[in-house]
Amino acid sequence: MNDVLERLGSESGRSAEYEALLAAGPDGLAGALTSPGRPLWARELAAYRLGMAGDRRAFEALVLLLNHRDPPRCEAAAQALAVLGDPRTARAAAALATNELRTAYALHPVRLLTALRAPESAPALIRTLSRLLVPHDPYWRVALACVEGLGALADPRAREVLTRAQSHPRLAVAATEALRALPAPGGAGSG
């Protein structure tokens, strides 16, 4: 949390508005999300603090930030969404992770899906990884996060895509590890 607050403090120039948002209560933070003319750092600070406090009024703003082009904003949003506990989070993260037009920004949604361990998690990671298993795909880091996530989830439905991932040099070691984490074919837990 301190890294996020430090980054936002720097962006704000440690302004009076920044200090006010640090001291604001939930209603003040929610107001900052909807009031016009607020800078991005102020909206992020308000959404992050609300999310970390479990206040669902932050959900929409955090999902927008999860899809931002700036990785630190995405990472902070993913942290807050994981804490927030809103039942819509997994569906939103799955939509972002599987959106072919936004693959460059899918790393944090993929990691969030792994952390959530929701019913949507494994299918979204399988779908995303499947389309990234083409020669010279530039999003190998997203593919690697999918492989690692599928290993952590140990969902037997991932066996086929993880087997295919073994033939990709940047994914081979992680895919082999992920396959080891899966239940034995036909064994308990497979479905």
Side-chain angles (χ1 to χ4, degrees):
M1 185 172 195
N2 288 338
D3 291 344
V4 175
L5 297 180
E6 186 63 34
R7 174 177 54 79
L8 295 173
S10 294
E11 283 183 38
S12 73
R14 304 264 186 257
S15 67
E17 183 179 7
Y18 173 78
E19 297 300 331
L21 284 171
L22 276 183
D27 290 340
L29 294 170
L33 289 178
T34 57
S35 62
R38 291 283 176 122
L40 180 58
W41 65 261
R43 292 184 191 284
E44 182 183 354
L45 178 57
Y48 182 78
R49 286 199 54 223
L50 282 171
M52 295 302 281
D55 190 319
R56 292 190 179 168
R57 292 178 286 183
F59 177 76
E60 287 83 4
L62 289 171
V63 169
L64 288 173
L65 290 165
L66 183 63
N67 194 32
H68 199 274
R69 67 182 174 272
D70 184 19
R73 290 194 202 291
C74 299
E75 184 177 6
Q79 289 172 5
L81 283 164
V83 171
L84 184 60
D86 191 295
R88 300 170 291 175
T89 301
R91 190 170 54 246
L96 293 174
T98 58
N99 183 338
E100 293 182 35
L101 301 176
R102 301 294 292 174
T103 304
Y105 311 110
L107 182 63
H108 293 289
V110 163
R111 289 180 176 162
L112 177 58
L113 283 166
T114 302
L116 293 173
R117 301 178 98 57
E120 297 89 344
S121 296
L125 297 185
I126 291 167
R127 182 173 162 200
T128 302
L129 179 58
S130 290
R131 71 178 156 75
L132 296 176
L133 293 180
V134 295
H136 313 294
D137 187 273
Y139 304 114
W140 66 270
R141 285 180 180 86
V142 175
L144 181 60
C146 289
V147 168
E148 292 169 346
L150 289 167
L153 295 172
D155 190 308
R157 295 174 290 181
R159 186 172 312 282
E160 185 271 332
V161 74
L162 289 172
T163 300
R164 286 193 296 130
Q166 286 182 302
S167 67
H168 291 261
R170 289 180 165 160
L171 306 177
V173 171
T176 300
E177 296 277 326
L179 282 164
R180 284 190 194 123
L182 300 183
S190 66

